[in-house]
Amino acid sequence: MSKARTVGIGMDYSPTSKSALKWTIDNLIEAGDRIIIIHVQSPKADPTNKQLFADTGSPLIPLEEFREISVSKQYGLTPDPEVLDRLDTVSKAKGAKVVAKVYWGDPREKLCDAVELLKLDSIVVGSRGLGVIKRVLLGSVSNYVVQNATCPVTVVKGTLPPSKPTRHVLID
């Protein structure tokens, strides 16, 4: 049995971050691993607990607590039921320990900080698939993390389009 790993997943509840979560659960997580869902809120957000944890991020929030609306709202989050269901499933099926952590600031920097602070073995992020111009203007979070994180980084590109039914034509 290999040593349990700590895997971070950047989560903003976008379709690409949900794809990153699904990919991680399906392809990376093994029995006993720890999953840390990393949320990075805007520095302008002003939830109740931000003043306590603005520099270091929130304490690790166990999945059971994170499910509670009152706890999530303290950090300015509205959890997605689909994400919570996936996390519950991997927790039960693979015995993975799931926790969440909230930071405030630039997602690029905070995700890289999380790698160091949480001693992640790897991090998985989604990619919005920005074109060249938007990537230059807005900056790519996934590209920055790939270039600057001190652990292996997996970038899950976009969401997979639904497959189109194929038509079979019989030729005599």
Side-chain angles (χ1 to χ4, degrees), residues 44-89:
K44 296 175 184 171
D46 195 26
T48 310
N49 285 344
K50 179 184 174 187
Q51 291 159 342
L52 290 172
F53 307 113
D55 295 331
T56 60
S58 72
L60 293 175
I61 309 164
L63 179 60
E64 300 78 32
E65 290 179 31
F66 189 67
R67 276 190 150 288
E68 296 177 24
I69 299 295
S70 60
V71 173
S72 296
K73 287 193 179 207
Q74 289 176 351
Y75 296 101
L77 299 172
T78 306
D80 182 287
E82 177 187 353
V83 169
L84 292 173
D85 288 346
R86 283 191 192 279
L87 294 171
D88 278 338
T89 300

Coordinates of all heavy atoms in Angstrom, one line a residue, residues 44-89:
K44 N -11.9 41.6 -2.4 CA -12.9 42.6 -2.1 C -14.1 42.0 -1.3 O -14.9 42.7 -0.8 CB -13.5 43.3 -3.4 CG -12.4 44.1 -4.1 CD -12.9 44.6 -5.4 CE -11.8 45.4 -6.1 NZ -12.1 45.7 -7.5
A45 N -14.2 40.7 -1.4 CA -15.3 40.0 -0.7 C -15.1 40.2 0.8 O -14.0 40.3 1.3 CB -15.2 38.5 -0.9
D46 N -16.2 40.4 1.6 CA -16.1 40.7 3.0 C -17.0 39.8 3.8 O -17.8 40.3 4.5 CB -16.4 42.2 3.2 CG -16.0 42.6 4.6 OD1 -15.0 42.1 5.1 OD2 -16.6 43.6 5.1
P47 N -16.7 38.5 3.8 CA -17.5 37.6 4.7 C -17.1 37.7 6.1 O -16.1 38.3 6.4 CB -17.2 36.2 4.1 CG -15.8 36.3 3.6 CD -15.7 37.7 3.0
T48 N -17.9 37.2 7.0 CA -17.7 37.3 8.4 C -16.3 36.9 8.9 O -15.6 37.6 9.6 CB -18.7 36.3 9.2 OG1 -20.0 36.6 8.7 CG2 -18.6 36.6 10.6
N49 N -15.7 35.8 8.4 CA -14.5 35.3 8.9 C -13.2 35.8 8.2 O -12.1 35.4 8.5 CB -14.5 33.7 8.9 CG -15.3 33.1 10.0 OD1 -15.6 33.8 10.9 ND2 -15.6 31.9 9.8
K50 N -13.4 36.6 7.2 CA -12.3 37.1 6.4 C -11.2 37.8 7.3 O -10.0 37.6 7.1 CB -12.7 38.0 5.2 CG -11.5 38.5 4.4 CD -11.9 39.4 3.4 CE -10.7 40.0 2.7 NZ -11.1 41.1 1.8
Q51 N -11.7 38.6 8.1 CA -10.8 39.4 9.0 C -9.9 38.5 9.8 O -8.8 38.8 10.1 CB -11.5 40.5 9.8 CG -12.1 41.5 8.9 CD -13.3 42.3 9.5 OE1 -13.8 41.8 10.5 NE2 -13.6 43.4 8.9
L52 N -10.4 37.4 10.3 CA -9.7 36.5 11.1 C -8.6 35.8 10.3 O -7.5 35.5 10.8 CB -10.6 35.5 11.8 CG -11.5 35.9 12.8 CD1 -12.5 34.8 13.2 CD2 -10.8 36.4 14.1
F53 N -8.9 35.5 9.1 CA -8.0 34.6 8.3 C -7.5 35.2 7.0 O -7.1 34.4 6.1 CB -8.8 33.3 8.0 CG -9.3 32.6 9.2 CD1 -10.7 32.5 9.4 CD2 -8.5 32.1 10.2 CE1 -11.3 31.9 10.5 CE2 -9.0 31.5 11.3 CZ -10.4 31.4 11.5
A54 N -7.5 36.5 6.9 CA -7.2 37.1 5.6 C -5.8 36.8 5.1 O -5.5 36.6 3.9 CB -7.3 38.6 5.7
D55 N -4.8 36.6 6.0 CA -3.4 36.3 5.6 C -3.2 34.8 5.4 O -2.5 34.5 4.5 CB -2.5 36.9 6.7 CG -2.5 38.4 6.8 OD1 -2.8 39.0 5.7 OD2 -2.2 38.9 7.9
T56 N -3.7 34.0 6.3 CA -3.4 32.6 6.2 C -4.5 31.7 5.6 O -4.2 30.5 5.4 CB -3.2 32.0 7.7 OG1 -4.4 32.2 8.4 CG2 -2.0 32.8 8.3
G57 N -5.6 32.3 5.3 CA -6.7 31.5 4.8 C -7.4 30.9 5.9 O -7.0 30.9 7.1
S58 N -8.6 30.3 5.7 CA -9.4 29.7 6.7 C -8.7 28.5 7.3 O -7.8 27.9 6.7 CB -10.7 29.3 6.1 OG -10.5 28.1 5.3
P59 N -9.2 28.0 8.4 CA -8.7 26.7 8.9 C -9.2 25.7 7.9 O -10.2 26.0 7.1 CB -9.3 26.6 10.3 CG -10.4 27.6 10.4 CD -10.1 28.6 9.4
L60 N -8.7 24.5 8.0 CA -9.3 23.4 7.2 C -10.7 23.1 7.7 O -10.9 22.9 8.9 CB -8.4 22.1 7.2 CG -7.0 22.3 6.6 CD1 -6.2 21.0 6.9 CD2 -7.1 22.6 5.1
I61 N -11.6 23.0 6.7 CA -13.0 22.8 7.1 C -13.4 21.4 6.7 O -13.4 21.1 5.5 CB -13.9 23.9 6.4 CG1 -13.4 25.3 6.6 CG2 -15.4 23.7 6.8 CD1 -14.0 26.3 5.6
P62 N -13.7 20.5 7.6 CA -14.2 19.2 7.2 C -15.4 19.2 6.4 O -16.3 20.1 6.5 CB -14.4 18.5 8.6 CG -13.7 19.3 9.6 CD -13.7 20.7 9.1
L63 N -15.6 18.2 5.5 CA -16.7 18.2 4.6 C -18.0 18.3 5.3 O -19.0 18.9 4.9 CB -16.6 16.9 3.7 CG -17.8 16.7 2.7 CD1 -17.8 17.8 1.7 CD2 -17.6 15.3 2.0
E64 N -18.1 17.6 6.5 CA -19.4 17.6 7.2 C -19.8 19.0 7.6 O -21.0 19.4 7.6 CB -19.3 16.7 8.5 CG -19.0 15.3 8.2 CD -17.5 15.0 7.9 OE1 -16.6 15.8 8.4 OE2 -17.2 14.1 7.1
E65 N -18.8 19.8 8.0 CA -19.1 21.2 8.4 C -19.3 22.1 7.2 O -20.2 23.0 7.2 CB -18.0 21.8 9.2 CG -17.8 21.2 10.6 CD -16.6 21.8 11.3 OE1 -16.3 23.0 11.1 OE2 -16.0 21.1 12.2
F66 N -18.6 21.8 6.1 CA -18.7 22.6 4.9 C -20.0 22.5 4.3 O -20.5 23.4 3.6 CB -17.6 22.2 3.9 CG -17.5 23.2 2.8 CD1 -17.0 24.5 2.9 CD2 -17.8 22.7 1.5 CE1 -16.9 25.3 1.9 CE2 -17.7 23.6 0.4 CZ -17.3 24.9 0.6
R67 N -20.7 21.4 4.5 CA -22.0 21.1 3.9 C -23.0 22.1 4.6 O -24.1 22.4 4.0 CB -22.5 19.7 4.2 CG -22.0 18.7 3.3 CD -22.7 17.4 3.5 NE -22.9 16.6 2.3 CZ -23.7 16.9 1.3 NH1 -24.5 17.9 1.4 NH2 -23.7 16.2 0.3
E68 N -22.8 22.5 5.8 CA -23.7 23.4 6.5 C -23.7 24.8 5.9 O -22.7 25.4 5.8 CB -23.4 23.5 8.0 CG -23.5 22.1 8.7 CD -23.1 22.2 10.1 OE1 -23.2 23.3 10.7 OE2 -22.7 21.1 10.7
I69 N -24.9 25.3 5.5 CA -25.0 26.6 4.8 C -24.4 27.7 5.7 O -23.7 28.6 5.2 CB -26.5 26.9 4.5 CG1 -27.0 25.8 3.5 CG2 -26.6 28.3 3.9 CD1 -26.4 25.8 2.2
S70 N -24.7 27.6 7.0 CA -24.2 28.7 7.9 C -22.7 28.8 7.9 O -22.1 29.9 7.9 CB -24.7 28.5 9.3 OG -24.3 27.3 9.8
V71 N -22.0 27.6 7.9 CA -20.5 27.6 7.9 C -20.0 28.2 6.5 O -19.1 29.0 6.5 CB -20.0 26.2 8.1 CG1 -18.5 26.1 7.9 CG2 -20.4 25.7 9.5
S72 N -20.5 27.7 5.4 CA -20.1 28.2 4.1 C -20.3 29.7 4.0 O -19.4 30.4 3.5 CB -20.9 27.5 3.0 OG -20.6 26.1 3.0
K73 N -21.4 30.2 4.4 CA -21.7 31.6 4.3 C -20.7 32.5 5.1 O -20.4 33.6 4.8 CB -23.1 31.9 4.7 CG -24.1 31.5 3.6 CD -25.5 32.0 3.8 CE -26.3 31.5 2.6 NZ -27.4 32.3 2.3
Q74 N -20.2 31.9 6.2 CA -19.2 32.6 7.0 C -18.0 32.9 6.2 O -17.2 33.9 6.5 CB -18.8 31.8 8.3 CG -19.9 31.7 9.3 CD -19.4 30.9 10.5 OE1 -18.4 30.2 10.4 NE2 -20.2 30.8 11.5
Y75 N -17.7 32.1 5.2 CA -16.6 32.3 4.3 C -16.9 32.9 3.0 O -16.1 33.0 2.1 CB -15.8 31.0 4.1 CG -15.3 30.5 5.4 CD1 -15.9 29.4 6.1 CD2 -14.1 31.0 6.0 CE1 -15.4 29.0 7.3 CE2 -13.6 30.5 7.2 CZ -14.3 29.5 7.8 OH -13.8 29.1 9.0
G76 N -18.2 33.3 2.8 CA -18.6 33.9 1.6 C -18.9 32.9 0.4 O -18.8 33.3 -0.7
L77 N -19.1 31.7 0.7 CA -19.3 30.6 -0.3 C -20.7 30.1 -0.3 O -21.4 30.1 0.7 CB -18.4 29.5 0.0 CG -16.9 29.8 0.0 CD1 -16.1 28.6 0.4 CD2 -16.4 30.2 -1.4
T78 N -21.1 29.6 -1.5 CA -22.4 28.9 -1.6 C -22.1 27.6 -2.3 O -21.9 27.5 -3.5 CB -23.4 29.7 -2.5 OG1 -23.5 31.0 -2.0 CG2 -24.7 29.1 -2.6
P79 N -21.9 26.5 -1.5 CA -21.5 25.3 -2.1 C -22.5 24.7 -3.1 O -23.7 25.0 -3.0 CB -21.5 24.3 -0.8 CG -21.5 25.2 0.3 CD -22.1 26.5 -0.1
D80 N -22.0 24.0 -4.0 CA -22.8 23.5 -5.1 C -23.2 22.0 -4.7 O -22.3 21.2 -4.4 CB -21.9 23.5 -6.4 CG -22.6 22.9 -7.6 OD1 -22.8 21.7 -7.7 OD2 -22.9 23.7 -8.5
P81 N -24.5 21.7 -4.8 CA -24.9 20.3 -4.4 C -24.2 19.2 -5.2 O -23.9 18.2 -4.7 CB -26.4 20.3 -4.7 CG -26.8 21.8 -4.7 CD -25.6 22.5 -5.2
E82 N -24.0 19.5 -6.5 CA -23.3 18.4 -7.3 C -21.9 18.2 -6.8 O -21.5 17.0 -6.7 CB -23.3 18.9 -8.8 CG -22.5 18.0 -9.7 CD -22.3 18.6 -11.1 OE1 -22.9 19.7 -11.4 OE2 -21.6 17.9 -11.9
V83 N -21.2 19.2 -6.5 CA -19.8 19.1 -6.0 C -19.8 18.4 -4.6 O -19.0 17.4 -4.4 CB -19.1 20.5 -5.8 CG1 -17.8 20.4 -5.1 CG2 -18.9 21.1 -7.2
L84 N -20.7 18.7 -3.7 CA -20.8 18.1 -2.4 C -21.2 16.6 -2.6 O -20.6 15.8 -1.9 CB -21.9 18.8 -1.6 CG -21.5 20.2 -1.1 CD1 -22.7 20.9 -0.4 CD2 -20.3 20.2 -0.2
D85 N -22.1 16.3 -3.5 CA -22.4 14.9 -3.7 C -21.2 14.1 -4.2 O -21.0 12.9 -3.7 CB -23.5 14.7 -4.7 CG -24.9 15.2 -4.2 OD1 -25.0 15.3 -2.9 OD2 -25.8 15.4 -5.0
R86 N -20.4 14.6 -5.1 CA -19.2 13.9 -5.6 C -18.2 13.7 -4.5 O -17.6 12.7 -4.4 CB -18.5 14.7 -6.7 CG -19.2 14.6 -8.1 CD -18.3 15.2 -9.1 NE -19.0 15.4 -10.4 CZ -19.2 14.5 -11.3 NH1 -18.8 13.3 -11.0 NH2 -19.9 14.7 -12.4
L87 N -18.1 14.7 -3.6 CA -17.1 14.6 -2.5 C -17.6 13.6 -1.5 O -16.8 12.8 -1.0 CB -16.9 16.0 -1.9 CG -16.2 17.0 -2.8 CD1 -16.2 18.4 -2.1 CD2 -14.8 16.6 -3.1
D88 N -18.9 13.6 -1.2 CA -19.5 12.6 -0.3 C -19.2 11.2 -0.9 O -18.8 10.3 -0.1 CB -21.0 12.7 -0.2 CG -21.4 13.8 0.8 OD1 -20.5 14.1 1.7 OD2 -22.5 14.3 0.7
T89 N -19.4 11.0 -2.2 CA -19.2 9.7 -2.8 C -17.8 9.2 -2.7 O -17.5 8.1 -2.3 CB -19.7 9.7 -4.3 OG1 -21.1 10.1 -4.3 CG2 -19.5 8.4 -5.0

